[in-house]
Amino acid sequence: MIIVSEKNIFSLTNKYYSYVFRVGDGGILEHIYYGSSLINPNNSVSHHYQTHRDGVLHFQGKKNYNLSELPQEYPTFGSTDFRFPAFHCKNSDGNTATVLKYKNHRIIKGKNYLSALPSARGGECSTLIVCLEDNLHKIEVDLAYTIYDNYGVLVRSANIKNNGNNKLELNNIYSSSIDLPASEYEILHLHGSWSRELSEESMIVPSGRFVIESNRGSSSAAHFPFIAVCEEQCNEIHGNIYSSSLIYSGNHSISVEKGEFNDVRLLTGINSFNFNWSLNPGDNFQTPEAVHVYSKNGLRGMSNIWHSFIRDKITPKNFNIKPRPTYLNTWESSYFDIDHQKVLKLADKALSIGLEMIVLDDGWFDRRIDDSSSLGDWYADTKRFPDGIQDLAIQIKRKGLKFGIWIEPEMISTKSELFKKHPDWVLKAPGRIPSLGRNQLVLDYCNADVVNYIFDKLDKLLSGGNIDYIKWDMNRNMSEVGSPVVSAKQQLEVPHRYILGLYSLLNRLTKKYPNVLFENCASGGNRLDLGMLRYMSQSWPSDMSDPIGRLNIINGCSYLFPLDVLSAYIGPSPNHQNGRISSINSRFNAGAFCAAKGISLSDSDIDNNANELAKLINFAKEHATDMIGGSFYRLKKSANVFCWQYITKDKKKCFLLYFHILSGPNEPFQHIKLVELEKNSKYKQTSNGKLYSGNLLMENGFTLPYVSMTNDNKSISYMPKGDFSSKLFVFKKV
Ligand code: DGJ
């Protein structure tokens, strides 16, 4: 609900939160309150501390009014506020002092959609659009705020219009700014690198400015576009949390600034570093949407809101309630050593253990026998795939399997026909030797001809109607970023123009092929964000297929993403990324709650473990529908133990996963208290038929299997012996 008082106090309020701001005396939009739902939000008093101090500046002649201490909705720079601004632009006079004052507002039922950028879906929601104006330079900013009836989510964006007669240069244009009141906060954020994505880090908000950002062209595994600002003493179940993410896949920045009076400013948007946008008279610039989740119930409450919102309002509707097919992926099974016959043979193996899809990963196209060539030449290698891809797909489908294929459409190898023909179709800085990454360059998606060309190639691949799934990869960060089709003065627009080109391609393709399941991948999780998930139903979060490595990654993912957007497979052992030897069972269990499950094993690995694999695939298929739309809970994470719980959407089944990493002698017994069950219902443990009440499982807990070297007491349940052991329990409501 949006309430506007006569005194121009704006309240966005639902059962989860209230967000209040007002038009202040000088026309500046002042933030008043963000937190748990208020009965009468328009009566709220600013929870920010305001005193007049001697020696401070007086904003434009107004005594005792100083923007540096004023919580604001869209702060600018140059007029008494010295914190990092949401908006910073150079006007035709050459200076950057901007004053944005309230002009008007309007409320729309539902939600605004952004034209060239992905937006969250609407539904039962309303949107307030407040127009601010810098009267001197005729800059208009429309701030959009969407509040949903049924989610603790606020979506914000800004649209900047140049109504003047002179060009403007936009430097910072954040999607949103939230000034939180002075308090002690901690930050939780997710960082990492290839094969160790989404590691969590927490710290007390320091004085100064803490920034997570990307300047790599993609949202990046180094810093995921997500921050949770948690009030001190917050934990999984208690405390106020203000979290933020961005529906954007390029260079992002989320910063938390603790100012001189301990006030905290949270900025979310496109990275202003190495960014500049020329805004001609009459033009406008649209920021991506920032999504904010407020939780008064700690991290678990926060994750639950993110999960349901991403599932309902971000990922493509066509797949968000569909169980995902189990699959065999050829990558860690065969790498580049792949051909038509081998795929058919693997398909038979896949069938023999009950899998439902085969995914032909990298290596199928023209002369692609290693990673040194051929990106851009999206036609089958004639030697190894003489019948072409369509024919192979038909043969696979005749066997009763679905068929998926890998592509990396944003890249080009210098050893390729496409590069010979179009050496100018790459991102490059004039006069510089372009740095290769995995032997490849990045195609210039600022160039509409390039985007159209790639669309045609992919359209050709998909129009045969035999491809059920696409794994869309992107395997390098961008360097020497420049585009020959963009003027010299506008080169700092290239990273954003690239992303707009990418989104236009994804938009066209996914609209034309709504029944193809798209999986997002960028060397694993180098571009796992809400922007990509708006087009693609699932993501390959990491190349780390070792179960212990993967546990951390999934745990990190779970703060933001529902596990029904993740895929996981049983890879080889010893693991190819870290050399660890682990059981098939633990390799399966680490990904047990991910919606998409499969294997990537060689013929002989499949043969040697056929029975166990068949059992696990059967389990995955039996519970494929269960793994969509349910609730995931992090019960315990320590250096040696992970314990997760998952309850299905219909609440009829509950799964408990226990991982014990390093074995040890004489360990204590461990109980775990389950959560969110129905206390008066009975639950049957499927492995032994034992009945428990929900109340008992939640209050008294469940005794976890014992870690021991002897395993000889028949009345005790034991963990499998040795390191990296795990057990998965299923409880059915009776
Ligand atoms: C990186 C991906 O993360 C892998 O799964 C695989 O598809 C390779 N690229 C193929 O080149």
Side-chain angles (χ1 to χ4, degrees):
M1 187 174 25
I2 296 171
I3 313 162
V4 185
S5 79
E6 276 171 14
K7 288 185 182 156
N8 269 343
I9 298 177
F10 301 89
S11 295
L12 294 97
T13 191
N14 65 14
K15 52 185 179 259
Y16 300 94
Y17 72 90
S18 295
Y19 187 97
V20 189
F21 57 93
R22 71 172 188 130
V23 180
D25 295 343
I28 299 294
L29 225 49
E30 284 182 24
H31 178 74
I32 295 179
Y33 173 85
Y34 184 26
S36 69
S37 187
L38 299 172
I39 296 170
N40 203 342
N42 271 19
N43 283 352
S44 56
V45 181
S46 175
H47 55 183
H48 293 256
Y49 201 62
Q50 286 179 45
T51 28
H52 178 66
R53 293 163 221 269
D54 288 339
V56 295
L57 299 170
H58 308 296
F59 170 65
Q60 301 197 333
K62 272 183 161 294
K63 244 191 157 344
N64 299 350
Y65 194 77
N66 165 23
L67 299 189
S68 236
E69 288 189 56
L70 193 77
Q72 294 154 70
E73 285 301 306
Y74 205 62
T76 59
F77 181 75
S79 280
T80 75
D81 189 351
F82 303 103
R83 293 165 291 178
F84 207 80
F87 182 86
H88 189 227
C89 107
K90 191 150 106 184
N91 58 50
S92 54
D93 298 341
N95 73 64
T96 59
T98 312
V99 179
L100 291 172
K101 294 189 175 181
Y102 171 82
K103 188 174 179 194
N104 57 46
H105 73 269
R106 60 191 194 278
I107 293 173
I108 54 174
K109 214 172 161 327
K111 187 172 172 298
N112 59 324
Y113 286 94
L114 313 185
S115 62
L117 288 160
S119 336
R121 281 190 290 277
E124 287 171 347
C125 60
S126 25
T127 301
L128 167 68
I129 297 173
V130 183
C131 176
L132 307 177
E133 186 185 43
D134 179 300
N135 200 19
L136 182 64
H137 294 289
K138 302 286 176 253
I139 306 165
E140 250 182 38
V141 177
D142 273 354
L143 297 180
Y145 298 78
T146 299
I147 182 165
Y148 293 80
D149 295 355
N150 299 313
Y151 303 89
V153 170
L154 170 70
V155 177
R156 285 189 57 178
S157 64
N159 187 290
I160 292 87
K161 187 156 190 214
N162 182 356
N163 285 336
N165 298 321
N166 300 304
K167 202 193 243 164
L168 295 168
E169 269 181 47
L170 305 181
N171 302 326
N172 291 7
I173 23 95
Y174 279 87
S175 302
S176 93
S177 170
I178 298 183
D179 281 345
L180 298 167
S183 183
E184 295 301 321
Y185 297 98
E186 281 184 11
I187 291 168
L188 167 77
H189 73 109
L190 304 167
H191 66 104
S193 186
W194 174 79
S195 259
R196 51 177 176 80
E197 296 88 344
L198 293 142
S199 306
E200 62 192 87
E201 184 176 58
S202 297
M203 69 184 79
I204 290 179
V205 172
S207 289
R209 202 162 161 253
F210 173 80
V211 189
I212 55 163
E213 62 185 353
S214 169
N215 49 26
R216 298 160 189 250
S218 70
S219 49
S220 101
H223 299 288
F224 284 81
F226 167 76
I227 264 190
V229 180
C230 313
E231 243 169 20
E232 213 189 17
Q233 315 264 314
C234 207
N235 59 27
E236 273 288 325
I237 44 180
H238 294 295
N240 287 312
I241 300 186
Y242 306 87
S243 58
S244 176
S245 189
L246 194 66
I247 308 183
Y248 192 60
S249 310
N251 294 339
H252 66 87
S253 154
I254 305 184
S255 70
V256 178
E257 179 175 2
K258 185 167 170 183
E260 55 187 323
F261 306 115
N262 291 346
D263 46 285
V264 167
R265 174 168 290 171
L266 173 64
L267 291 173
T268 307
I270 293 178
N271 194 353
S272 55
F273 170 72
N274 207 36
F275 171 88
N276 184 285
W277 194 273
S278 297
L279 201 63
N280 288 318
D283 282 358
N284 64 347
F285 182 88
Q286 176 63 57
T287 72
E289 288 183 340
V291 184
H292 299 284
V293 164
Y294 164 77
S295 159
K296 65 172 184 173
N297 298 317
L299 292 164
R300 183 179 298 164
M302 173 197 79
S303 297
N304 284 346
I305 298 172
W306 278 112
H307 292 181
S308 52
F309 185 76
I310 290 173
R311 191 183 283 141
D312 298 346
K313 302 294 180 196
I314 301 287
T315 52
K317 265 188 165 169
N318 235 14
F319 284 96
N320 64 1
I321 50 162
K322 273 196 193 148
R324 308 295 156 75
T326 53
Y327 65 93
L328 182 150
N329 176 297
T330 58
W331 184 240
E332 288 191 71
S333 147
S334 314
Y335 293 104
F336 292 103
D337 183 15
I338 193 80
D339 59 37
H340 184 97
Q341 286 312 327
K342 238 184 153 177
V343 176
L344 290 181
K345 196 166 164 210
L346 280 169
D348 289 334
K349 299 273 175 210
L351 271 174
S352 72
I353 53 169
L355 289 164
E356 298 159 299
M357 176 164 78
I358 186 148
V359 177
L360 174 53
D361 209 284
D362 199 351
W364 58 269
F365 46 99
D366 197 32
R367 283 170 289 173
R368 178 75 168 178
I369 47 165
D370 54 34
D371 66 14
S372 70
S373 80
S374 309
L375 292 166
D377 300 342
W378 297 112
Y379 35 88
D381 184 84
T382 44
K383 263 202 203 129
R384 291 172 304 136
F385 293 90
D387 300 347
I389 291 304
Q390 298 303 335
D391 209 67
L392 172 65
I394 290 168
Q395 291 181 45
I396 296 284
K397 290 177 87 102
R398 269 200 211 118
K399 290 178 187 282
L401 288 169
K402 288 179 185 286
F403 181 74
I405 199 161
W406 176 97
I407 48 171
E408 197 180 357
E410 296 155 73
M411 297 292 151
I412 181 165
S413 307
T414 46
K415 263 205 280 170
S416 68
E417 291 306 311
L418 187 64
F419 191 70
K420 266 191 218 153
K421 251 201 203 148
H422 295 289
D424 269 359
W425 276 13
V426 298
L427 291 181
K428 58 180 175 188
R432 300 260 165 235
I433 298 169
S435 307
L436 293 172
R438 209 194 186 204
N439 304 309
Q440 61 205 48
L441 296 175
V442 184
L443 279 170
D444 178 9
Y445 271 29
C446 304
N447 183 344
D449 291 344
V450 175
V451 174
N452 288 337
Y453 174 87
I454 294 293
F455 175 82
D456 289 343
K457 291 287 159 224
L458 300 184
D459 191 26
K460 201 160 170 220
L461 197 64
L462 291 171
S463 60
N466 298 309
I467 293 175
D468 302 291
Y469 158 107
I470 289 278
K471 179 174 173 187
W472 184 297
D473 207 347
M474 193 273 196
N475 281 308
R476 63 160 294 178
N477 292 317
M478 298 179 195
S479 59
E480 293 87 22
V481 176
S483 164
V485 298
V486 174
S487 74
K489 276 193 183 142
Q490 289 173 283
Q491 285 296 309
L492 298 189
E493 297 179 9
V494 171
H496 183 58
R497 287 188 182 277
Y498 177 94
I499 293 293
L500 295 178
L502 170 65
Y503 287 151
S504 76
L505 174 64
L506 289 173
N507 200 24
R508 280 166 78 188
L509 270 177
T510 52
K511 274 210 172 114
K512 186 156 184 195
Y513 298 102
N515 296 322
V516 173
L517 174 58
F518 280 83
E519 177 167 286
N520 171 45
C521 172
S523 304
N526 202 40
R527 197 169 58 186
L528 174 45
D529 55 63
L530 301 184
M532 293 309 284
L533 285 179
R534 188 65 187 81
Y535 302 100
M536 307 203 183
S537 301
Q538 59 190 50
S539 234
W540 177 242
S542 178
D543 282 346
M544 174 49 71
S545 54
D546 163 66
I548 306 306
R550 195 111 181 157
L551 286 175
N552 257 314
I553 290 161
I554 295 179
N555 206 79
C557 265
S558 76
Y559 285 106
L560 179 66
F561 301 113
L563 268 52
D564 34 10
V565 304
L566 299 187
S567 50
Y569 63 52
I570 299 173
S573 176
N575 179 267
H576 293 180
Q577 284 71 44
N578 64 11
R580 183 173 285 134
I581 295 173
S582 61
S583 68
I584 294 254
N585 205 45
S586 282
R587 278 178 267 159
F588 175 84
N589 281 348
F593 299 158
C594 298
K597 287 194 274 287
I599 69 167
S600 190
L601 296 171
S602 64
D603 286 8
S604 56
D605 272 350
I606 298 174
D607 289 344
N608 295 339
N609 301 286
N611 289 342
E612 197 179 357
L613 286 170
K615 259 195 219 148
L616 292 170
I617 303 306
N618 193 36
F619 180 90
K621 287 194 319 201
E622 183 190 338
H623 297 292
T625 309
D626 294 335
M627 294 307 156
I628 299 281
S631 309
F632 175 84
Y633 304 97
R634 296 170 295 268
L635 298 186
K636 183 167 177 149
K637 183 189 171 212
S638 68
N640 213 32
V641 167
F642 278 80
C643 205
W644 296 334
Q645 185 193 325
Y646 180 87
I647 304 182
T648 55
K649 195 175 176 194
D650 61 9
K651 313 264 182 240
K652 288 188 178 152
K653 283 178 220 158
C654 168
F655 298 78
L656 178 69
L657 178 64
Y658 174 42
F659 253 90
H660 192 274
I661 298 173
L662 292 183
S663 183
N666 202 15
E667 294 238 331
F669 272 102
Q670 301 222 35
H671 287 270
I672 197 85
K673 289 182 179 167
L674 275 66
V675 298
E676 302 293 332
L677 299 174
E678 294 167 6
K679 65 176 181 196
N680 294 320
S681 297
K682 289 240 168 337
Y683 294 85
K684 189 191 258 153
Q685 187 180 335
T686 56
S687 56
N688 58 11
K690 240 177 152 177
L691 278 181
Y692 300 85
S693 71
N695 176 249
L696 189 94
L697 287 173
M698 291 191 291
E699 304 305 335
N700 189 16
F702 176 75
T703 305
L704 292 167
Y706 192 54
V707 176
S708 162
M709 283 294 102
T710 46
N711 294 15
D712 56 1
N713 184 338
K714 293 236 158 29
S715 62
I716 293 177
S717 146
Y718 289 102
M719 280 298 262
K721 279 188 193 169
D723 294 339
F724 322 124
S725 67
S726 64
K727 262 203 169 167
L728 177 60
F729 301 92
V730 184
F731 299 90
K732 282 191 181 156
K733 201 168 93 177
V734 289

